Amino acid sequence: MAMRKINTRQALNEALREEMQRDNKVYFIGEDIGVYHNGNGPTGVSTGLLAEFGKSRVVETPICEGTLAGSSVGAAMFGMRPVVEIMHSEFLVHCFSYLAYGGSKGAVLFQDKPFPIVFRTPNGGENSGATFQDENVEAWFSHTPGLKVVMPTTPYDAKGLLKAAIRDDYPVLFLEHKALYKQTGEVPEEEYIVPIGEANVRREGKSATVLATGNMVRKAMEAAGNLAGRGIELEIIDLRTLVPLDKETILQSVRKTGRVIICHEGRKTGGYGAEVAAMIAEEAFSYLKAPVARISAPDVPGNFPPGVEELMAAVERICRS
Amino acid sequence: MNAGTQELLRVYGQMHLCRTFQNKLADLRKQGLLNAHPYLEVGEEAITFGTCLGLKDTDIIHPYYRGEGAILRLRGGVTVREQMAWWLGRVGEDGTYRMVLPSQWMDVEHGIIGRTDSCLGSEVDVAVGAALAMKLQNLPHVVLTMVGEGATNKGNFHEGLTFSSTLNLPLIMVIRCNEWAMSMPKNETVPIENLSDMSASYGIPAAIVDGNDFLAVRDQVRLAAEEVRATSKPYIIEAKSYRLSPHSSNDEDNYRSDTEKKQWAEKDPLIILADKLRNTGVSEAALIEERAASEQEIESAYQWAITRPVASVSEMLAAQSAVVSKMWGR
């Protein structure tokens, strides 16, 4: 495949454009997604969409997050395929019932008819201490039967997974890490899809398994580079999809290394890592050579994403035991 | 009897059936035979019937949570037997058991949106989405939904109407002003006399109608639907009525006076409709016959339903699991 380097924003923009060209039932809806930021929109993925598709496909709304999300439930019942942009994942709480009930109970009550909705939103944050807007919401929504929760970490995955999400016949929550928007990576010129529900082994190693999401994957890769010189070879798995979880890829690695460090930016208590740790305890306990470690944000209201140093310390501790 | 009168007599029969069904459910609940609390709409039936029959068959409706599924019956998708079986915790005609109250069943083929969330106000957002789908697909259908005066306080109501008005969506918002939001009277929960005055905030038209008069509601809905089709702007109809029944069968209903209830009972929508029929020359015998037929239908539905197999919990779970597995691709 012919490759070129683009950033995550461009990758997401391409996915949206291609899917809107492919299927005229797909529409893009959100706040300020038309002309703001020179037509790039608040998240920078709108570039050129309004000009190409017009107001009947790129729908700008008043400040109404509840209706923005809720209307997608009604529109999906009547043949449309909404792609909803929520400006910050923090705002998603005001749409909660439409993901937790509309998107899940609604789909079940709709029996087995297609019920396609993509909710995409910037999640997490780069700087420590932000109290607003840098929220990590993945755990809240992972408790919803039927709802898929997707977190891409590379431009390649962002494009391929967003295309898969838009083609999916059921609701998908698509969480885009803010720190990754400007990251560049190789993306094919040709069309491709990354299936939802498959984790990705980003680095192979035998010392310990790092299970990471979002920006923590990048930090884990950095930690692995630093630790390689000290005789520790990390295996790094980018979960990519939190729900449904690719248990097999995880368990295969756990059986090989026997040591696990779970890293996410969400808070520790009730965080998604607790689910992963419990799953490993249930299904691969006898393979563990050390307790499962969780690297996560402290239980405080602000966002304090864990750093590379913290991750390296945990790895060394786990590998010594 | 001309066709119009004949049709009106049929509506009277169906409305009486709706009333009889509710009374039967209240009675069965007292006997401990139902598996859920019915939310009764005794006294408000003219709104349910008027809205449903004022629309074209191709229009879409998100029914109120009261009404025991009258709209599902009127639009032809569901029988009273099916609904009775559900209340008795038994499987319906096709051997399956639905997951929610009959008033909330999804029947998109017949243009009926079921509830996805029991918190009031959510129907507004979902109906707005259906209206958006009509606009984006250039379809000429309007979408009608209903809230009580209590739920006009919800953020969804204001967001939904602002959203619909600014995006020019074909939405009819019917406010069923029935004076009581569970135990809270209108004058303690709503800061204005006429809820239709709120239309000024959204720059849309509104009308007030006697919610106990079926013909008045139906004609107002017809008028509104044509205006919405022509202007692509939402429209508010405030239907003034009164809930004669308790909020649900789990309500002692001791927070309001008998005098108040008695005054409204005199304006019962069934009395109003019967008077109109008499004025067009329908005989008392014909009215009695219509009522007897409805009562017979409810009784035979009950007799049928009570012999149906009891819904199996494991089958209910299996049905939900199958959908979730499909959603998750497992």
Side-chain angles (χ1 to χ4, degrees), chain B residues 58-329:
Chain B
T58 45
D59 291 331
I60 292 158
I61 188 162
H62 192 323
Y64 199 48
Y65 70 102
R66 303 186 185 282
E68 307 328 318
I71 288 168
L72 286 146
R73 295 195 296 276
L74 290 172
R75 289 206 153 196
V78 173
T79 63
V80 68
R81 299 206 307 185
E82 185 87 9
Q83 296 172 330
M84 187 72 88
W86 186 91
W87 282 109
L88 294 165
R90 290 157 195 275
V91 299
E93 313 257 11
D94 64 357
T96 62
Y97 190 75
R98 303 220 204 182
M99 286 173 265
V100 290
L101 307 184
S103 56
Q104 305 171 1
W105 288 352
M106 190 88 69
D107 188 3
V108 167
E109 284 72 22
H110 290 91
I112 297 168
I113 308 176
R115 288 198 83 85
T116 54
D117 181 341
S118 73
C119 195
L120 297 179
S122 60
E123 62 275 55
V124 178
D125 293 328
V126 176
V128 166
L132 179 62
M134 296 306 113
K135 182 191 168 182
L136 297 182
Q137 295 172 96
N138 283 317
L139 294 169
H141 317 313
V142 305
V143 180
L144 180 148
T145 191
M146 292 177 260
V147 296
E149 84 277 1
T152 62
N153 293 322
K154 290 296 294 276
N156 314 62
F157 180 85
H158 300 287
E159 282 195 20
L161 281 170
T162 303
F163 188 101
S164 310
S165 181
T166 52
L167 293 176
N168 300 315
L169 305 184
L171 180 81
I172 301 177
M173 169 62 65
V174 175
I175 302 169
R176 296 173 54 132
C177 184
N178 67 4
E179 296 293 325
W180 290 89
M182 286 183 76
S183 66
M184 294 295 282
K186 183 185 158 214
N187 63 13
E188 287 184 31
T189 58
V190 175
I192 51 177
E193 175 59 28
N194 293 321
L195 293 140
S196 55
D197 290 348
M198 290 198 282
S199 65
S201 310
Y202 316 114
I204 60 174
I208 297 177
V209 67
D210 177 356
N212 284 16
D213 182 346
F214 162 73
L215 285 172
V217 177
R218 186 197 65 186
D219 293 348
Q220 184 58 59
V221 168
R222 279 185 183 161
L223 208 80
E226 288 327 301
E227 184 157 340
V228 167
R229 261 184 265 278
T231 61
S232 296
K233 275 279 182 187
Y235 195 112
I236 291 177
I237 298 174
E238 178 182 2
K240 289 189 187 286
S241 183
Y242 187 82
R243 168 165 58 75
L244 289 170
S245 46
H247 161 66
S248 77
S249 57
N250 186 30
D251 174 9
E252 296 79 9
D253 197 5
N254 51 11
Y255 42 79
R256 50 189 183 164
S257 75
D258 287 340
T259 321
E260 180 184 300
K261 277 191 264 189
K262 206 177 279 176
Q263 279 168 354
W264 277 95
E266 286 164 13
K267 293 182 273 186
D268 186 321
L270 280 163
I271 296 176
I272 293 176
L273 188 53
D275 281 345
K276 290 208 170 168
L277 284 162
R278 285 188 198 98
N279 290 342
T280 53
V282 174
S283 69
E284 206 57 44
L287 295 175
I288 291 170
E289 195 183 319
E290 201 64 45
R291 290 202 298 269
S294 294
E295 285 158 23
Q296 178 52 41
E297 190 177 342
I298 293 296
E299 197 47 39
S300 69
Y302 173 72
Q303 295 303 339
W304 177 82
I306 200 76
T307 64
R308 297 291 296 157
V310 171
S312 137
V313 171
S314 59
E315 281 176 23
M316 278 186 250
L317 175 59
Q320 294 202 13
S321 298
V323 178
V324 171
S325 297
K326 194 170 173 186
M327 291 171 77
W328 275 343

